[in-house]
Amino acid sequence: VRGDDDSNKGSESIPMISMDCIPEGFFIAENVWNSMQELRIEKIKSETVVMKISNAVQNMKALCDQAQYAEESILSSISRLEKKVEDMKAKRQQLLKNPEFLVHVKQGQDEIEKELVATDYSNAVFVPIDIIEK
């Protein structure tokens, strides 16, 4: 925000102070008074520009804060998901090392030696019936 385009417009809306406002007994030359008026107008214009820039900076800070909050939220989600992936990989590895599962086998469909309490199928190979029937 430079204010060059607004500089001509701003002087029209800034009221001039008349020489009637000068206290009685106080004399000031007209050219000095006019110079003071011009300096006053320039000061008001520069304050307006500073205010606009300050507002723009405040808006940018607010956007930056929002972006930082969003980034922190996303990073938190990413780390949570990465932990979940690691947990799932560990569980998968555990399942690959420990392939225990229940099998329903009808009597006479297995060729494993029967034990009194529970038959041990840990060394058994299971083959689908349709392959055997072929």
Side-chain angles (χ1 to χ4, degrees):
V1 179
R2 287 190 58 207
D4 291 344
D5 298 336
D6 297 333
S7 61
N8 295 335
K9 295 177 186 177
S11 61
E12 296 171 3
S13 64
I14 300 172
M16 298 292 277
I17 300 175
S18 69
M19 289 188 78
D20 298 337
C21 295
I22 299 175
E24 288 183 32
F26 189 78
F27 175 76
I28 192 165
E30 191 171 333
N31 62 344
V32 173
W33 179 258
N34 291 337
S35 294
M36 285 176 43
Q37 290 285 4
E38 289 174 12
L39 291 172
R40 177 180 164 270
I41 290 170
E42 289 302 315
K43 182 176 187 297
I44 291 171
K45 286 180 188 177
S46 68
E47 287 174 351
T48 303
V49 169
V50 167
M51 190 182 329
K52 286 179 183 178
I53 292 172
S54 176
N55 289 339
V57 168
Q58 291 298 328
N59 291 339
M60 287 182 207
K61 280 185 179 180
L63 289 173
C64 182
D65 291 342
Q66 289 175 352
Q68 281 181 325
Y69 177 76
E71 179 186 20
E72 289 170 2
S73 175
I74 290 169
L75 290 175
S76 172
S77 295
I78 288 172
S79 67
R80 190 177 77 258
L81 291 171
E82 285 174 342
K83 183 179 180 341
K84 207 173 191 180
V85 165
E86 289 301 317
D87 291 346
M88 291 177 88
K89 283 181 180 179
K91 188 174 182 178
R92 180 176 177 249
Q93 286 294 59
Q94 180 185 5
L95 290 173
L96 288 174
K97 291 179 183 177
N98 187 11
E100 283 188 24
F101 50 88
L102 295 175
V103 176
H104 178 71
V105 179
K106 293 182 181 178
Q107 275 187 329
Q109 288 186 337
D110 61 350
E111 297 179 6
I112 301 290
E113 232 180 88
K114 307 283 186 255
E115 296 179 13
L116 293 175
V117 180
T119 305
D120 181 20
Y121 287 97
S122 62
N123 294 326
V125 175
F126 291 97
V127 181
I129 292 176
D130 53 334
I131 292 177
I132 294 171
E133 290 174 350
K134 287 183 183 180

